[in-house]
Amino acid sequence: MPSVAHPPLKPISNNPHSPLYIGLMSGTSMDGVDGVLVDFSSSFPQVVRHAHLPFNEALKKTLIKLNYSGETPHELEIATTTAIELSHLYAQCVNQLKDPQVTIRAIGCHGQTIRHQPDKGFTIQLVNGALLAELTGIDTLCDFRARDIAAGGQGAPLVPRVHQAWFSTDHCHRVIVNLGGIANITNLDPHASVIGFDCGPANILLDEWIRHCKGVAYDKNGAWGRLGQVNNALLNALLTHPFLAIPPPKSTGREAFNLNWLLSFNLVHKLTPEDVQATLTEFTTLCVARAIQPLRGNLPLEVVLCGGGALNQLLVERLAANLPNVTLTSTDQLGIPVDQVEATAFAWFAMAFDQRIPGNLVSVTGAKHPVVLGTLYPA
Ligand SMILES: Nc1ncnc2c1ncn2[C@@H]1O[C@H](COP(=O)(O)OP(=O)(O)O)[C@@H](O)[C@H]1O
Ligand SMILES: [Mg+2]
């Protein structure tokens, strides 16, 4: 996923009401930051540019440790300096996207989640918004989840709001599945209100296992997992994870699905590493398929994939096999490349803040009322 050099943009607009926004997303996979420059002048977003900057190994390690309380000495200071380091990387990403010819109204930056505890009233996404505004010279919005939590919501998931706006149709029942570190689902049934929830791991375990065994970041196209055989005993043991039995709405993260949890199964130490990867791939797809089955109604069901996991061919094949009588497609077919949907969502949240449009869907987050999301750092 290297970043690419782009040809200069055609001048689109150079007035203060320019509909161009930048979205920056770095998710639980901790693979890096995806940035997009988006034109919102029509009803469907047009991604004008995309850039991806990977996290280096040291940053990734620091971020993973910061997810667990007490693992990092001088945790407060390290979290704060890491937010500064991230903001320099985010600014580099913005530099690849911006163009002197055009005015960019604002940046919507999700930041890097290191804690999400809405039941205790807080969530932490690392980013130094003041610094990002200073480095880019562009109004910067961060901290999108806090306002929803303050209104009694879970602060997540937020993207169902845009999945609904961009992908819902009257003629069929769509389920959007974002295969990031965690898999999350948006149910767009024309006869019901929108719901969204996390259904289990997507790339987290696949990435952690190949990293543990081979020192590489991810299983490209599922090629390594394809060499192994699914082990049913391990698969059934993994499927007893208590999170999977909780009815939605629900959310999860690295605290529930991680390498230590995987290593706690004896069989993992006896099978070939490839068999473990094949089993993890099957486990991941079953978590998604079993979450989707109960959502089925009378209308034909279309499952639309996005997120980096949609590029894992083995994962997609196994998902298709575990979801019979379903049309399986991806957001590529609906107009936004799979690796750009989440960043485009945060460009939209920046625009929504600008226009003081509420960004939360109360049927999804459980907030008491709709609220405008984000904190503004003026340029
Ligand atoms: N070609 C590919 N083959 C297999 N997996 C891929 C491929 N491209 C991306 N991925 C997976 O997608 C992950 C990144 O997905 P992403 O949607 O950015 O997740 P997050 O939002 O959690 O950062 C990578 O860590 C990797 O596991
Ligand atoms: Mg990512």
Side-chain angles (χ1 to χ4, degrees), residues 240-359:
T240 62
H241 193 298
F243 175 80
L244 305 176
I246 302 171
K250 56 182 175 175
S251 61
T252 188
R254 283 184 177 271
E255 65 285 357
F257 296 98
N258 55 50
L259 185 64
N260 284 342
W261 172 71
L262 182 62
L263 293 174
S264 72
F265 295 89
N266 277 335
L267 262 176
V268 167
H269 307 277
K270 295 184 181 144
L271 300 173
T272 67
E274 292 85 352
D275 284 355
V276 173
Q277 188 76 348
T279 307
L280 288 174
T281 307
E282 192 67 10
F283 170 62
T284 301
T285 60
L286 280 176
C287 292
V288 175
R290 288 182 180 187
I292 290 174
Q293 293 298 359
L295 304 174
R296 291 188 92 128
N298 297 327
L299 287 173
L301 186 62
E302 192 172 297
V303 172
V304 184
L305 303 180
C306 61
L311 300 168
N312 180 332
Q313 285 151 13
L314 180 63
L315 197 67
V316 175
E317 272 170 37
R318 293 310 307 151
L319 198 52
N322 286 316
L323 279 171
N325 305 318
V326 162
T327 305
L328 190 65
T329 179
S330 82
T331 58
D332 285 351
Q333 272 69 51
L334 301 184
I336 307 182
V338 294
D339 52 351
Q340 299 170 24
V341 176
E342 293 255 305
T344 306
F346 283 88
W348 186 90
F349 285 118
M351 184 188 68
F353 178 97
D354 241 5
Q355 301 179 7
R356 299 299 187 269
I357 297 172

Side-chain angles (χ1 to χ4, degrees), residues 1 25-32 34 52 178-182 203-204 206-207 217-222 306-313 338-339 342:
M1 295 170 284
M25 180 66 200
S26 50
T28 43
S29 296
M30 307 208 174
D31 54 319
D34 283 294
H52 175 86
N178 176 40
L179 297 169
I182 295 292
N203 297 302
I204 274 192
L206 301 173
D207 286 358
Y218 68 100
D219 183 7
K220 191 160 189 198
N221 304 332
C306 61
L311 300 168
N312 180 332
Q313 285 151 13
V338 294
D339 52 351
E342 293 255 305

Side-chain angles (χ1 to χ4, degrees), residues 27-338:
T28 43
S29 296
M30 307 208 174
D31 54 319
V33 55
D34 283 294
V36 284
L37 175 64
V38 190
D39 180 351
F40 286 107
S41 57
S42 51
S43 58
F44 195 81
Q46 301 300 315
V47 179
V48 183
R49 285 180 171 181
H50 170 233
H52 175 86
L53 291 184
F55 292 164
N56 65 43
E57 269 305 300
L59 177 58
K60 201 186 263 191
K61 268 194 192 139
T62 306
L63 288 170
I64 290 176
K65 273 171 74 177
L66 282 170
N67 272 259
Y68 308 103
S69 185
E71 292 244 328
T72 308
H74 310 292
E75 197 168 279
L76 265 180
E77 190 174 326
I78 298 296
T80 311
T81 53
T82 303
I84 292 172
E85 182 179 349
L86 278 169
S87 301
H88 281 280
L89 195 73
Y90 293 152
Q92 273 178 44
C93 192
V94 170
N95 277 337
Q96 293 197 4
L97 298 168
K98 70 181 193 185
D99 188 287
Q101 308 265 34
V102 298
T103 303
I104 293 161
R105 287 287 298 120
I107 296 166
C109 179
H110 175 267
Q112 186 65 48
T113 300
I114 54 161
R115 300 292 156 80
H116 185 69
Q117 301 193 8
D119 298 337
K120 290 186 186 166
F122 74 92
T123 183
I124 304 176
Q125 282 76 44
L126 293 185
V127 53
N128 185 323
L131 180 61
L132 189 52
E134 176 65 24
L135 292 171
T136 60
I138 302 172
D139 281 2
T140 296
L141 288 140
C142 309
D143 206 17
F144 289 94
R145 301 187 186 275
R147 186 66 186 88
D148 181 79
I149 292 177
Q154 292 291 302
L158 297 179
V159 288
R161 175 74 165 84
V162 295
H163 289 164
Q164 179 190 35
W166 300 338
F167 303 132
S168 64
T169 69
D170 288 339
H171 68 271
C172 88
H173 176 177
R174 277 189 177 146
V175 172
I176 315 298
V177 183
N178 176 40
L179 297 169
I182 295 292
N184 57 274
I185 281 180
T186 303
N187 187 36
L188 300 173
D189 179 346
H191 302 312
S193 48
V194 179
I195 57 165
F197 59 95
D198 291 344
C199 58
N203 297 302
I204 274 192
L205 296 173
L206 301 173
D207 286 358
E208 291 226 338
W209 182 243
I210 198 168
R211 199 173 136 93
H212 177 72
C213 298
K214 291 167 71 88
V216 297
Y218 68 100
D219 183 7
K220 191 160 189 198
N221 304 332
W224 190 54
R226 209 182 272 285
L227 301 175
Q229 298 283 323
V230 174
N231 179 281
N232 283 322
L234 177 61
L235 179 63
N236 289 330
L238 296 171
L239 285 166
T240 62
H241 193 298
F243 175 80
L244 305 176
I246 302 171
K250 56 182 175 175
S251 61
T252 188
R254 283 184 177 271
E255 65 285 357
F257 296 98
N258 55 50
L259 185 64
N260 284 342
W261 172 71
L262 182 62
L263 293 174
S264 72
F265 295 89
N266 277 335
L267 262 176
V268 167
H269 307 277
K270 295 184 181 144
L271 300 173
T272 67
E274 292 85 352
D275 284 355
V276 173
Q277 188 76 348
T279 307
L280 288 174
T281 307
E282 192 67 10
F283 170 62
T284 301
T285 60
L286 280 176
C287 292
V288 175
R290 288 182 180 187
I292 290 174
Q293 293 298 359
L295 304 174
R296 291 188 92 128
N298 297 327
L299 287 173
L301 186 62
E302 192 172 297
V303 172
V304 184
L305 303 180
C306 61
L311 300 168
N312 180 332
Q313 285 151 13
L314 180 63
L315 197 67
V316 175
E317 272 170 37
R318 293 310 307 151
L319 198 52
N322 286 316
L323 279 171
N325 305 318
V326 162
T327 305
L328 190 65
T329 179
S330 82
T331 58
D332 285 351
Q333 272 69 51
L334 301 184
I336 307 182
V338 294

